[in-house]
Amino acid sequence: MAELLYRLGRAAAGRATTVIAVWLALLAMAGTAYFLFGGQLKDSFSIPGTPTDEVNQTLKAEFDGMGGGAGTVVYRTEDGSAFTEEQREAIAARAADAAGLDGVEDAVDPFAMEADRAEQADRIEEGRAEIEDGREQLEEGQEELDSGREQAEAAGMLDQLEEGLDAQQAEIDAGREDLDDASRELEQGADLMEMSEGIRMVSEDGDTALVNIAFTQAQEEVPQETRDAVMAVFADDPVEGTTVDFANDIAMTMPQLVGPAEVIGLVVAAVVLVVMLGTLIGAGLPILTALVGVGLATATAMSLSGVLEMASVTPILGLMLGLAVGIDYALFIVNRHRRQLKQGVEIGESIGLANGTAGNAVVFAGTTVLIALLGLNLTGIGFLGLMGTVGAIAIFVAVLVAVTLVPALLALVGPRILSRRERARHGADGADDAPSGSRAAGPKPMSLGSALARTAAAAIALGVIALPALDLRVGMPDGSSEPHESTQHRAYTAISEEFGEGQNGPLLVAARLPGGPTDDAAEANAVDYQYQVAEELYSRDGVAAVAPIDVNEDGTLAIFQVLPEEGPSSPLTTELVHTFRDMEPIHGTGTLGVAGMASGNIDISETLSSALPVYLTVVVGLSLVILLLVFRSLYVPVVATLGFILSYFAALGGVVAVYQWGWLGAVIGLETPGPVLNFLPTLLAGILFGLAMDYMLFIGTGMREAYVHGASARDAVAQGFRAGRSVVTAAAIIMISVFGGFIFSETMMISSMGFALAFGVLLDAFVVRMLLIPALMRLAGDAAWWLPKWLDRILPDVDVEGSALERRHLHTEDARGGDGPAAGTAPPVPDPSDDPVPSGRR
């Protein structure tokens, strides 16, 4: 691979204008494809086959107009007074207009609903009065009958009149039974009204009203055009004296691909590059190539949104990764090239060598990240696998850009990749690096006590930071997590204040009933069964209200709306969903089914949580195999993987502390803490694994090369750490800057992803790779590099750093001298004829 990349680098440098033209053409083609084929991004997530999805499919088959998505429009009076009659009529007219739109099943007039409720209450009172009158009449008839019986008996005519008297008694008894049945049904209706009292469309003080919109398509399939059309009906023609807001089940806030915070992150990355490389041209080249790569990858991914259901956060992930790794991968090659130029290597040869050595490490590092991201498809969760695939596209393009476009640009830039001072020094002396002999003593090795102290400090610090992860609670963002000035947050707040938090996440409960189309009593019994199920639902803790909605034609399935006491992301609501699913209110009919947006989000979160252990196992196993191939050691893969696990859980702990507990929320603009984004733990595992392998590669390979070529175990640790620390530091700071720019996004999903990745990189690079790993390697000594001979014979020799290529192309001591290896490269390797590799260290 190293030789192939060397030739590719030389070829790209020799045909620089052609290579640049090809990349620009690809970028233009991707942009054109996006404009021609790009579709609408989704603001919701779904997983087919969940319990919620199964209930929705059943309802869609059993009830006309059911199974579609829903939206909520919130009207409030500006002065807090009750709606006037004119305002009521205007809102009702707009609801009627919305009901006529394509894709809308119905739009409910809230005032008509409340009027129906009031009429129903009046009818119940009237029915009670009628029943009471009927009972009084029956009692009067009974008294007359009893009096007539006594008179007949006194006159000795009872035998002749008994048949007629008995018939009258039977009529009275039948009347009593009818009244009892009517009274029971009436009281059941009264009880059901009481149970549903909390489900209102107009607030008790009359200043807030909810217009419920029913869509024909499922929630995640409702086109944004339909939602926009609905919102236009209410927002474009405002009702005088009122305000209107839209809940997050209908309003969508498309996250910005690039904002001021992301630009600041790029500026910080540019500053780091200038400090490290000492030249504006050198600093600008990695940023330029990263922008080309991320532009191509993002446009390509967005062009697929017309044929794939793609969440709005998916291209943002590709942008994050493409920028971060694109800058880092270009930096590795540019830094190596600069070092070689200062050592006196000719420009064309240096470009080829940089591509074959540092570029080889880039390909290997990028491959680990790419595999980890593609591995997200193993979870079996469609939208998560698509996110991983889009991220993998960004990584793949970043690697291709690094090994083709970067060499081409380096050829065009020529010696200007060095600063004027560096070029002047190089022209005067041939090389500005000190002779290798001046550093013969090498860096001071770490003492045993220092290694123990560093190990304890790193492990304790990571353990403490990881503690909040024990309280991890995952979910999907709701209206409360939106920016406070947004229409979604205003709608959520208004609903919570006027109708209770549960109104923001009502549950739809389906119950099987006995009977069927051949059962004559099915229709009559359905009312009793409805009441029985409603009573069972209402009796559970955490239920604020229950309302029957409908029964199917054959009386075998009833649906209810249940209002939880707390919001959709509350643990109590989650517990309530599971309680319902375990209930069997009517023996022999089976347990209840639960649907609704809150239920769907709960199912998605639990499906993701169940897939995480399997994915973590795959990632950990992959980590062990990759590191075993690279380092040819049993100890190194184990400690490096344990380090990844520590940094992963510590990063999760930081996310929980900030986004779930609200610590430092004001600093990053987080206004309302809540559950952690449900797919973030799985996504973080894949991405952080790949980046952790990158850092382990650039820190650990220098240690291995030094040890293989004769250094003692503790000297090898010091030499390898010195060789890799500068590039890992720069790469980590750049990644933290790029990821950190997304922390200040107004979209909580984007913000939490940016924080998790930035904090994870911070911990893994500076605490695990640069503090814990060197200390553990020092403590292990020679045992760190032990490998059974039988395993050593069968493992392929993976020359990640291209050391063999360097030995073939650089023969002079000046060409090997310098201040340690460049970005991600091994320390200078002695010529094999001068100093054979010590036996037993292969």
Side-chain angles (χ1 to χ4, degrees), residues 362-403:
V362 163
V363 171
F364 189 87
T367 302
T368 61
V369 184
L370 189 145
I371 292 174
L373 288 170
L374 290 177
L376 289 170
N377 289 279
L378 298 176
T379 62
I381 299 170
F383 75 83
L384 189 61
L386 182 59
M387 292 178 70
T389 301
V390 169
I393 291 174
I395 300 298
F396 180 71
V397 172
V399 172
L400 287 181
V401 166
V403 298

Side-chain angles (χ1 to χ4, degrees), residues 507-829:
L507 304 176
L508 197 62
V509 178
R512 288 288 175 185
L513 306 181
T518 61
D519 188 350
D520 295 336
E523 185 175 350
N525 291 338
V527 176
D528 290 337
Y529 291 137
Q530 259 191 313
Y531 179 74
Q532 183 179 339
V533 174
E535 271 194 321
E536 287 290 328
L537 295 173
Y538 191 67
S539 66
R540 303 300 171 179
D541 292 337
V543 174
V546 176
I549 297 177
D550 202 357
V551 178
N552 65 349
E553 292 183 359
D554 58 12
T556 58
L557 183 66
I559 49 177
F560 303 81
Q561 183 179 9
V562 177
L563 209 65
E565 290 182 350
E566 298 186 5
S569 60
S570 166
L572 183 61
T573 302
T574 302
E575 183 180 347
L576 193 60
V577 169
H578 291 297
T579 298
F580 287 161
R581 287 175 174 166
D582 292 335
M583 285 174 54
E584 188 179 11
I586 303 173
H587 182 69
T589 58
T591 55
L592 301 173
V594 185
M597 182 175 288
S599 170
N601 289 339
I602 290 169
D603 287 343
I604 292 174
S605 298
E606 292 179 351
T607 303
L608 288 164
S609 297
S610 64
L612 180 58
V614 176
Y615 182 64
L616 268 178
T617 301
V618 172
V619 166
V620 168
L622 183 64
S623 171
L624 291 171
V625 172
I626 290 174
L627 295 175
L628 180 64
L629 290 173
V630 173
F631 295 107
R632 309 183 74 80
S633 159
L634 294 181
Y635 178 79
V636 175
V638 171
V639 296
T641 302
L642 289 176
F644 157 69
I645 293 173
L646 280 174
S647 59
Y648 169 72
F649 283 104
L652 275 186
V655 172
V656 170
V658 173
Y659 288 87
Q660 184 176 315
W661 293 357
W663 293 5
L664 302 177
V667 176
I668 63 172
L670 178 67
E671 296 169 314
T672 308
V676 173
L677 184 63
N678 51 22
F679 57 81
L680 181 58
T682 308
L683 197 65
L684 177 64
I687 297 174
L688 189 59
F689 160 74
L691 300 181
M693 294 305 99
D694 286 3
Y695 299 138
M696 189 65 208
L697 179 69
F698 296 121
I699 284 289
T701 50
M703 298 179 186
R704 178 180 180 273
E705 288 298 323
Y707 181 76
V708 165
H709 291 286
S712 66
R714 68 174 193 166
D715 287 340
V717 171
Q719 292 175 20
F721 177 75
R722 180 179 179 180
R725 65 185 177 186
S726 60
V727 69
V728 169
T729 298
I733 292 175
I734 289 170
M735 282 202 174
I736 292 168
S737 302
V738 173
F739 291 146
F742 291 89
I743 294 175
F744 301 96
S745 170
E746 291 185 348
T747 304
M748 195 281 287
M749 286 193 292
I750 305 299
S751 175
S752 60
M753 287 170 57
F755 178 86
L757 293 174
F759 193 54
V761 168
L762 173 68
L763 294 176
D764 194 86
F766 293 106
V767 180
V768 173
R769 307 302 154 189
M770 299 181 67
L771 184 64
L772 180 61
I773 294 299
L776 291 174
M777 296 293 290
R778 168 64 181 87
L779 292 175
D782 289 327
W785 304 107
W786 178 79
L787 185 70
K789 292 183 179 179
W790 64 268
L791 186 57
D792 186 38
R793 287 193 297 269
I794 64 176
L795 287 179
D797 187 9
V798 181
D799 184 15
V800 175
E801 297 294 339
S803 300
L805 177 72
E806 186 178 23
R807 287 194 295 270
R808 284 196 299 271
H809 288 269
L810 294 180
H811 301 291
T812 64
E813 184 65 26
D814 288 342
R816 291 194 303 270
D819 187 19
T825 64
V829 180

Side-chain angles (χ1 to χ4, degrees), residues 74-86:
V74 182
Y75 272 101
R76 306 191 85 175
T77 58
E78 293 178 346
D79 58 3
S81 62
F83 290 101
T84 65
E85 186 62 30
E86 291 78 8

Side-chain angles (χ1 to χ4, degrees), residues 139-151:
E139 289 304 318
E140 290 175 0
Q142 183 70 54
E143 290 177 1
E144 291 178 0
L145 181 61
D146 292 342
S147 176
R149 188 181 294 277
E150 290 175 0
Q151 291 174 6

